[in-house]
Amino acid sequence: MSGALVSPDLFTLCKVLITGIMKIQSDAILAGAPVGSPVEPLRGLAYFLMEDWFLTFNAWMIAITIMVTWAAAIQLLTMMWIERKFYSRLQDRYGIMISIWSLPFWPFSWWAKRRNKPTHRGLGYLQNVADGVKLLQKENITPANADSAMFHTAPVLIASSTVMIFAALPFSEGFVIANMPMSLLFILAAFSLAPLGILIAGWASNNKYTLIGGMRAAAQLMAYEIPLLLAVVALLMYAGSLNVIDIVHKQEALLVMLGPIPIPAWNVFSIPQFIGFAVFLVAIMAEMERIPFDIPEAEAELVEGWLTEYSGMRFGLLFGFKWLRALAGSALVVILYLGGWSGPVFVTLTPAVGATVIPIPIIPHEVWFLLKVYLLFLLFVWVSWSVPRVRIDQILNIGWKRLIPLSLLAILLAAYLAALGPALGGIR
Amino acid sequence: MAEFWVNMGPQHPMTHGLWNMKVKIDGETITDAAPEIGYLHRGYEKIMEVREFQKNVVLTDRLCYVSSITWSHAYALACEKMMDITVPPRGQWIRVISLELQRIASHLMWLAAYGPDLGLLTGLLWALRERELFLDLIQLLSGARMNQNFPRIGGVRNDLPPDFDKYCAKITKHFREKLKEYHRLFHESKIFLMRTQGVGRISLADAINWGVTGPNLRACGLDVDLRRLEPYETYEEVDFEPQVWKGGDGGDSYARFMCRFNELEESCRIIEQAIKKVPSGAYRAKAPRRAEGEGFARTEDSRGEALFYVIGDGDDRPYRVKIRSPVFCTMAATPLMLRGNKMADVVSILGSVDVCVGEMDK
């Protein structure tokens, strides 16, 4: 079996790490301040460093920092890079090409010149960093007639609610901050907070374009959020749990052997859940504000929609966090329907170190998971750069007249098959 | 919600150029619209009175920088009628070729702009990619990518370059294949049809009364193409079919889109025929410096009916010039198309009308 790199979970690893570090410091202090010496009171500090609540607090802080850095920096940049590179190729051009050799200062410029490296023909991963730096240098303008407090609250609300998703969203069994019993509910709730921020931003900017954009976000919310949740309800008939890790575990079972290849019982391989999957894909695309449904910021008619009045890094934050939401959305689809991190079964290397056997996964769970997320995201990018944008009344039509009946049908079928499937010869 | 006016322009992604479409909206529905133009007014008709006949071609090039040759050609045609000179056959055929090349380049620019209007940025880059080929052809012919200064009173600036027919054949063949790609990107997209069909409808009677011409009028189902009705140059010797919306119930964004889109292929046909029929001989007749009389010419521009009326009083510069811009008249009819539609349809409608501010504001 392949295994996870982060195991048993992120918090425990951090606790082990911080306990080790603190133990070294504590031991050093204890050795430096023996009983009876003038610095004996320092021993109190040594005992404090090994207090359990202190270690736990630090472990949580480190776990959260690791997760935020991983998701909001590394994964965000990767998602942006994937999108920009891929749609450039769709449009018959190279796309971003800034590489480390493009940096205009020592030692990179010196080395590039010396080795005669092409400076602007790299992979382009650093372009997004460069854009971020540029946005940081720009002035933050608050419109004179804007509702200043609300105008400044909205980016915080949107950014924090997006980061909040990653408190419960797992990258593998262990790579998660909080494994709550109802984590799916938490994720979906955090997801749907952002339109509130959009509405606030649209109103507070005191601009007609942003107001229309904000109102559109509110109107659109109804159209996609309901089918999204109804599709999840259909899924719960099968999963029987609101915990995302349980949902993935449920999908690891063997469905059928296709020759030598085992097909796992992913949720998408069943009749009602496939309908739910289709509904969920469309709804999550609206949730991410990707192109067929990016009506709140339709740049053709609304300049930049609800984002119009934001500038500098505040704009960068709002704009960049769209990709973080795209990451969370793709990850959610992968977890709910595509088997999460359970990849094809690969043998682990089990070298014996002394008496203990350490299993080392060849392709760990985290890699499988990211691979699926990236591939799914590529699909989203592909769709969104090959279709025009729908109109606000059309997305309401799609939501209310197509997606909701379909998701209700999925619930009906799921309930029927969950109850009678085994009796009907294992139809799922 | 109360109705309010929204300015879509002069600095707005919807306006391809510098103008302002004021839209009165009730929620998302447009109740009224008022185009506000004149930001780019340069007083062409007056400037042309102080320049010599031949030198005015430089100015008319800049009437619409997306289709310079068609505008310069209309001016040259009016001057030739006033001076009573005829262009040699070779010059006329070269003119037909250059006009159609320019029409394709102009229509591709429109197609490129229509993509991002609807949120389809891929359409922009694909259309610009092929426009580059036609700009190369025009550059080969005239030496410039834009503002070519190519048609002259009495003919054209220079002869066809060597092997021009081969390049033309190669590029039109390539372009026809790419048209199928566009077809898949635009017409076969369900969302594209949702956004264009039944949007921005104008009745045939309204279109005629408001002076809408060109592809926008043909989209209403009326077969008006000045290349057929009032053939200039050698268009009567070319076999082509004016693109008219035949589906009935036209006049919407989709019909306008289809008429223009099909003209791309039709222009390819004209180029392929014309390049074979070019006779040998002179390509330019000597034009007099001074002229007296009246010249009146109207041509089928990429955007509609372009009209030039030139009066000479015996001096070497025109006494009076009148320009009729097709977009100027079409713009007056846009409130009719906009009313009752949704706000997002503004881009779908005005994109399909194909606005060029240079010629509109003159």
Side-chain angles (χ1 to χ4, degrees):
Chain A
M1 284 292 288
S2 60
L5 277 183
V6 184
S7 97
D9 65 41
L10 192 60
F11 170 70
T12 317
L13 280 186
C14 292
K15 186 90 183 269
V16 170
L17 180 76
I18 195 75
T19 311
I21 295 171
M22 290 304 172
K23 186 89 174 66
I24 293 169
Q25 293 184 9
S26 168
D27 285 353
I29 293 171
L30 287 180
V35 183
S37 68
V39 286
E40 193 190 337
L42 274 178
R43 295 177 73 85
L45 179 63
Y47 296 136
F48 170 77
L49 288 181
M50 289 305 285
E51 291 261 358
D52 189 53
W53 70 265
F54 181 69
L55 293 176
T56 311
F57 175 78
N58 273 308
W60 275 122
M61 286 295 120
I62 293 175
I64 291 169
T65 312
I66 288 177
M67 192 51 147
V68 169
T69 318
W70 166 254
I74 300 171
Q75 291 306 319
L76 176 67
L77 288 178
T78 312
M79 293 299 260
M80 288 171 108
W81 177 75
I82 289 175
E83 163 142 28
R84 292 180 74 170
K85 208 65 188 169
F86 185 60
Y87 81 65
S88 304
R89 290 300 173 154
L90 283 183
Q91 294 170 350
D92 223 350
R93 59 197 176 92
Y94 289 109
I96 47 181
M97 290 204 283
I98 298 277
S99 73
I100 193 142
W101 307 113
S102 325
L103 296 179
F105 48 82
W106 191 88
F108 307 105
S109 55
W110 169 76
W111 189 250
K113 200 173 176 187
R114 197 183 131 147
R115 299 295 299 270
N116 210 8
K117 278 182 183 301
T119 52
H120 286 71
R121 253 192 272 162
L123 279 177
Y125 195 84
L126 288 185
Q127 177 69 55
N128 293 316
V129 181
D131 289 348
V133 171
K134 184 200 76 175
L135 284 171
L136 272 175
Q137 293 167 344
K138 293 212 160 192
E139 187 187 352
N140 270 325
I141 299 167
T142 309
N145 292 327
D147 183 343
S148 183
M150 297 309 268
F151 186 74
H152 294 149
T153 310
V156 179
L157 188 64
I158 293 166
S160 57
S161 71
T162 310
V163 175
M164 213 158 91
I165 300 171
F166 290 90
L169 192 86
F171 284 84
S172 80
E173 245 166 83
F175 199 173
V176 55
I177 293 182
N179 184 8
M180 310 174 234
M182 304 245 271
S183 48
L184 180 56
L185 208 57
F186 180 84
I187 292 171
L188 291 172
F191 233 125
S192 50
L193 269 180
L196 189 67
I198 295 176
L199 191 58
I200 291 175
W203 177 261
S205 303
N206 198 6
N207 176 317
K208 286 171 183 170
Y209 303 128
T210 62
L211 178 64
I212 296 169
M215 290 301 170
R216 281 181 176 189
Q220 195 192 355
L221 175 74
M222 290 303 194
Y224 63 77
E225 200 73 39
I226 295 171
L228 186 92
L229 294 173
L230 288 178
V232 171
V233 170
L235 184 96
L236 294 180
M237 306 264 182
Y238 274 41
S241 165
L242 271 169
N243 184 310
V244 279
I245 295 181
D246 281 353
I247 292 174
V248 174
H249 277 315
K250 192 99 179 182
Q251 299 178 54
E252 279 171 357
L254 184 72
L255 180 65
V256 68
M257 287 296 286
L258 210 68
I261 308 159
I263 302 293
W266 291 357
N267 277 329
V268 70
F269 298 139
S270 74
I271 302 156
Q273 302 310 344
F274 185 76
I275 302 171
F277 173 67
V279 172
F280 198 87
L281 270 190
V282 176
I284 205 82
M285 221 153 159
E287 184 90 63
M288 294 175 195
E289 280 189 29
R290 296 208 69 83
I291 263 186
F293 308 120
D294 74 335
I295 302 159
E297 55 153 296
E299 79 274 352
E301 66 255 24
L302 292 186
V303 189
E304 195 58 47
W306 57 279
L307 280 165
T308 306
E309 290 291 355
Y310 285 96
S311 58
M313 199 55 203
R314 236 181 268 146
F315 169 79
L317 202 67
L318 292 172
F319 200 67
F321 268 60
K322 246 172 60 175
W323 278 275
L324 208 54
R325 292 169 69 75
L327 169 67
S330 314
L332 205 56
V333 177
V334 169
I335 287 172
L336 295 184
Y337 293 99
L338 300 174
W341 44 83
S342 65
V345 178
F346 271 83
V347 186
T348 49
L349 301 172
T350 48
V353 181
T356 51
V357 172
I358 306 168
I360 300 171
I362 296 174
I363 299 180
H365 279 162
E366 286 83 357
V367 177
W368 276 119
F369 186 69
L370 285 180
L371 213 61
K372 283 185 196 173
V373 169
Y374 292 159
L375 280 177
L376 191 72
F377 181 61
L378 279 186
L379 179 79
F380 284 133
V381 174
W382 200 337
V383 171
S384 63
W385 289 96
S386 13
V387 290
R389 177 183 301 119
V390 299
R391 221 162 50 201
I392 180 73
D393 55 325
Q394 287 166 347
I395 188 181
L396 297 183
N397 273 335
I398 293 171
W400 290 100
K401 292 186 187 162
R402 300 276 188 283
L403 296 185
I404 291 185
L406 269 178
S407 52
L408 288 174
L409 177 72
I411 292 182
L412 201 68
L413 279 176
Y416 180 73
L417 287 179
L420 295 176
L424 294 170
I427 303 174
R428 42 178 280 142
Chain B
M1 202 159 86
E3 295 183 353
F4 59 83
W5 285 94
V6 176
N7 281 305
M8 296 183 98
Q11 304 285 341
H12 191 283
M14 182 276 293
T15 60
H16 310 299
L18 199 63
W19 62 287
N20 187 3
M21 182 54 122
K22 286 166 78 182
V23 183
K24 194 180 192 181
I25 55 167
D26 176 12
E28 284 274 342
T29 313
I30 299 166
T31 54
D32 202 358
E36 209 173 71
I37 62 171
Y39 290 90
L40 211 62
H41 182 60
R42 292 149 292 175
Y44 259 77
E45 292 167 354
K46 207 68 192 168
I47 304 174
M48 285 170 81
E49 288 174 15
V50 296
R51 278 161 198 270
E52 288 160 34
F53 286 114
Q54 199 69 268
K55 288 181 182 173
N56 273 332
V57 175
V58 181
L59 276 178
T60 50
D61 257 350
R62 281 140 180 91
L63 261 174
C64 179
Y65 42 84
V66 185
S67 75
S68 316
I69 294 178
T70 52
W71 277 99
S72 296
H73 166 255
Y75 168 71
L77 209 59
C79 286
E80 281 151 18
K81 282 189 183 167
M82 179 182 64
M83 294 167 180
D84 206 18
I85 50 175
T86 40
V87 180
R90 186 173 173 85
Q92 292 195 12
W93 278 108
I94 296 177
R95 275 184 175 185
V96 168
I97 294 167
S98 64
L99 285 176
E100 294 306 317
L101 285 176
Q102 183 70 79
R103 193 184 308 279
I104 293 180
S106 165
H107 279 2
L108 278 176
M109 190 66 229
W110 156 80
L111 189 67
Y114 201 36
D117 276 351
L118 298 174
L120 184 60
L121 206 65
T122 312
L124 171 96
L125 283 136
W126 285 14
L128 286 185
R129 181 183 65 193
E130 266 67 64
R131 180 170 180 262
E132 205 63 22
L133 298 174
F134 287 96
L135 287 188
D136 283 350
L137 276 185
I138 292 173
Q139 188 181 6
L140 203 61
L141 185 61
S142 64
R145 280 162 57 87
M146 64 186 288
N147 299 332
Q148 289 88 355
N149 199 4
F150 187 62
R152 292 294 164 87
I153 300 167
V156 291
R157 176 169 159 268
N158 56 287
D159 204 355
L160 288 180
D163 285 342
F164 192 70
D165 51 340
K166 284 177 197 156
Y167 291 122
C168 274
K170 197 173 174 185
I171 285 176
T172 49
K173 183 166 171 282
H174 174 79
F175 183 59
R176 278 160 193 270
E177 282 164 22
K178 290 293 174 187
L179 275 177
K180 288 174 199 151
E181 238 176 58
Y182 295 160
H183 187 84
R184 283 202 285 275
L185 187 66
F186 285 98
H187 317 30
E188 286 184 11
S189 166
K190 170 93 178 158
I191 299 178
F192 179 80
L193 301 182
M194 277 160 64
R195 284 299 303 277
T196 51
Q197 277 176 344
V199 164
R201 185 153 287 170
I202 187 166
S203 68
L204 179 59
D206 275 340
I208 293 173
N209 288 342
W210 285 87
V212 178
T213 46
N216 298 332
L217 184 55
R218 290 199 286 278
C220 298
L222 189 66
D223 188 357
V224 275
D225 193 326
L226 289 178
R227 291 174 289 179
R228 265 276 167 276
L229 296 180
E230 218 173 76
Y232 47 94
E233 307 303 349
T234 53
Y235 272 114
E236 69 253 72
E237 293 169 45
V238 185
D239 173 35
F240 77 101
E241 196 182 331
Q243 290 306 315
V244 183
W245 175 253
K246 296 193 188 73
D249 207 22
D252 56 352
S253 286
Y254 185 66
R256 287 190 285 270
F257 174 85
M258 286 310 289
C259 285
R260 267 180 229 278
F261 190 85
N262 291 339
E263 271 187 13
L264 286 172
E265 180 144 19
E266 215 50 48
S267 293
C268 276
R269 257 182 79 194
I270 298 176
I271 292 171
E272 280 164 2
Q273 292 173 38
I275 204 75
K276 286 187 193 122
K277 289 189 179 174
V278 183
S280 53
Y283 56 86
R284 188 171 170 184
K286 178 86 179 138
R289 262 192 90 178
R290 291 161 200 280
E292 191 169 6
E294 291 180 6
F296 172 89
R298 48 183 196 154
T299 60
E300 185 71 23
D301 183 56
S302 323
R303 286 164 183 77
E305 184 184 320
L307 184 149
F308 262 93
Y309 183 47
V310 185
I311 302 178
D313 58 353
D315 200 359
D316 60 350
R317 46 204 77 187
Y319 171 72
R320 176 81 176 87
V321 179
K322 163 72 187 151
I323 306 168
R324 184 225 190 251
S325 153
V327 183
F328 182 77
C329 300
T330 314
M331 190 48 69
T334 49
L336 287 179
M337 305 178 189
L338 286 173
R339 272 179 213 136
N341 286 297
K342 297 276 178 286
M343 194 187 171
D345 292 331
V346 175
V347 282
S348 165
I349 295 164
L350 294 176
S352 68
V353 161
D354 192 6
V355 178
C356 177
V357 183
E359 62 169 87
M360 179 168 71
D361 287 349
K362 293 186 286 241

